[in-house]
Amino acid sequence: MSSSPYVVAESPELGRHWVAARDIAAGEVLLEERPLVVGPKAGSPPVCLACYAPAADYRCSACGWPVCGPRCEAAAAHRDAECRLIGGHYDGRRSAAYCFVAPLRCMLLAGRGAAEFRSLQSHLDDRLDTPLYRAYAVNVAAFVLDRLGLRSADGDDRSALEAAAVLDTNAFDVRRPGGRNFRAVYARASMMAHCCTPNTKHVFVGDAADGRPAIRVLATVPIGRGHGVTATYTQTLWCTRDRRRHLSAAKCFECACARCADPEELGTHLGSAACGGPCSGRVAAAAAGCATCGRPADDPEAEQRAVRAVGVLSKSRDCAGFERFLERVRDGTMPPLHDNHHVAVGVKYALVQLYGDRISDLTVKQLENNSAICEQLLRLADVLEPGITRFRGLLLYYLVCGLKQLKRKKHRRNYDEMIKNFAREAVVILKTEPDLMYLVEQLQ
């Protein structure tokens, strides 16, 4: 039996990617590794350059950039990297103030780390003529090479843009407690191929203030020997149109997974429109008309109006507004939305999270609505995010909390077995999510 659960294979379609070297069990840890390089996002607001906490008033005594205090000022990630180069160049008023920091750190890598970073794909030639990279030519390449003095005698802008492109192709978005949002490149984890129904998940482990957290990759479902081990580079609750648009723009490839190839998205119809006629059918993405009656889709702008309405609701955080929205979807008075449309699914998930924040104040009707929505979304998760996924774990948690309140309000004991079974599954999942461990205590 192989000591590693996966091997790195290579193909023209996928490049380097993971393949299971043996049968892998759900929940098995496949990898834990520290990052090659970490840095703020290109459009980052002012943050500490060591731990990425929102910037306070403290400034590094050497370079004048925001850090949290003496500990972060002395952190090797900052002190031994850009600190000696960027003195006098901080302007927190510029929206692009931080966009050069992560590429600069990549360019300063040495030894094995530099070699591993250079081995990763960049798709730079596909990116060069985009608006983003035309901006990077000024805000990253010219700034780093000319103003910071890193241009060699025969150098051109490509070295800085190559670093930015490797980041954009391979970096993981990292969200840590305390509002710390940044990105990191991991040498081996970056080689996992994408799938819109992935069979792994990743979490970040270590102290919340550690600006270089390890990544832990876990199998979410059993993976048979010889099968691909995949991650997702996008959001699984997006429809195919939006996922493919994002992957093409951000990762420079056209996804051809089974879900993207199916106009009905594996039977979920996330991207389908509701038929405007009396048949209650669906108009699958790119289809000429309803699969039931043949009627063409209605107003193509209607979805965007619904999205704008959801944006207004999200700012208000008003349960009643979300409830009315979903009632209109159920009544068929908000075409092209239907019960499983990706916009409606997003509203449902937002609503159960709002319910979770005020669970003890909900009415019996709202608690029953919470249970119904959680069960609907769990059926969706069975297709798109099966196994020990964060999405399933949180849905089970919200479901259990609601059922406990229903039991109290309705004075019934027949919820006990459901609560016990759902809580047991939720605990198994949430124990794999370091930042959600506090929820486990509430379920036990």
Side-chain angles (χ1 to χ4, degrees), residues 287-301:
C290 173
T292 303
C293 70
R295 189 178 189 274
D298 282 331
D299 181 4
E301 298 299 319

Side-chain angles (χ1 to χ4, degrees), residues 63-399:
C63 68
W65 281 65
V67 288
C68 288
R71 177 183 173 184
C72 287
E73 183 177 5
H78 168 61
R79 183 196 62 219
D80 296 343
E82 71 279 345
C83 182
R84 58 190 168 83
L85 298 170
I86 62 176
H89 291 293
Y90 178 66
D91 183 356
R93 297 168 299 178
R94 292 179 60 240
S95 60
Y98 284 78
C99 71
F100 75 90
V101 175
L104 172 60
R105 288 180 177 178
C106 298
M107 296 172 70
L108 295 175
L109 288 170
R112 180 179 176 181
E116 289 181 320
F117 184 82
R118 286 195 299 268
S119 75
L120 298 173
Q121 286 185 318
S122 71
H123 298 292
L124 178 58
D125 290 336
D126 296 322
R127 300 178 185 276
L128 279 174
D129 198 35
T130 64
L132 176 62
Y133 273 72
R134 287 196 290 271
Y136 276 179
V138 176
N139 294 322
V140 176
F143 187 89
V144 168
L145 298 175
D146 296 327
R147 294 190 66 182
L148 300 187
L150 295 188
R151 188 184 294 277
S152 61
D154 58 348
D156 60 19
D157 290 356
R158 194 172 180 92
S159 59
L161 294 177
E162 182 78 22
V166 172
L167 277 166
D168 286 344
T169 301
N170 298 279
F172 287 79
D173 285 340
V174 184
R175 296 179 181 272
R176 304 286 278 160
R180 295 173 169 89
N181 299 323
F182 51 99
R183 56 183 181 164
V185 174
Y186 298 86
R188 287 180 288 168
S190 296
M191 295 181 193
M192 283 189 291
H194 163 81
C195 181
C196 291
T197 51
N199 53 24
T200 71
K201 70 175 181 180
H202 60 269
V203 297
F204 299 101
V205 295
D207 185 87
D210 181 1
R212 294 179 57 81
I215 192 171
R216 180 183 294 157
V217 178
L218 304 93
T220 53
V221 294
I223 305 172
R225 179 182 179 185
H227 287 260
V229 180
T230 58
T232 184
Y233 304 168
T234 183
Q235 299 294 321
T236 53
L237 295 185
W238 288 355
C239 66
T240 294
R241 177 200 63 208
D242 293 346
R243 293 193 319 277
R244 297 192 79 188
R245 185 180 294 162
H246 168 77
L247 292 168
S248 177
K251 303 299 181 180
C252 299
F253 73 92
E254 299 295 330
C255 185
C257 72
R259 180 180 172 191
C260 284
D262 181 1
E264 297 183 356
E265 299 206 37
L266 307 181
T268 65
H269 285 283
L270 250 69
S272 300
C275 177
C279 76
S280 301
R282 301 282 184 266
V283 184
C290 173
T292 303
C293 70
R295 189 178 189 274
D298 282 331
D299 181 4
E301 298 299 319
E303 181 180 320
Q304 287 307 309
R305 289 196 294 272
V307 170
R308 289 192 290 271
V310 172
V312 173
L313 288 175
S314 298
K315 292 177 182 177
S316 70
R317 294 182 58 81
D318 174 29
C319 288
F322 281 101
E323 289 163 350
R324 287 192 295 271
F325 185 98
L326 292 174
E327 285 171 6
R328 290 187 61 194
V329 172
R330 284 192 294 271
D331 293 344
T333 57
M334 191 173 279
L337 273 59
H338 54 81
D339 215 34
N340 242 30
H341 190 280
H342 68 97
V343 174
V345 166
V347 171
K348 289 177 182 179
Y349 192 39
L351 181 56
V352 296
Q353 291 176 83
L354 286 176
Y355 281 163
D357 290 341
R358 57 199 76 178
I359 199 76
S360 60
D361 299 325
L362 300 183
T363 65
V364 168
K365 182 179 179 180
Q366 287 176 316
L367 290 167
E368 290 174 339
N369 194 35
N370 177 73
S371 296
I373 292 174
C374 286
E375 290 173 359
Q376 291 166 11
L377 294 180
L378 282 166
R379 289 193 291 272
L380 184 66
D382 287 340
V383 179
L384 302 181
E385 286 200 33
I388 58 166
T389 60
R390 185 184 183 94
F391 183 47
R392 279 190 62 83
L394 285 170
L395 287 172
L396 289 163
Y397 168 77
Y398 295 133
L399 179 56

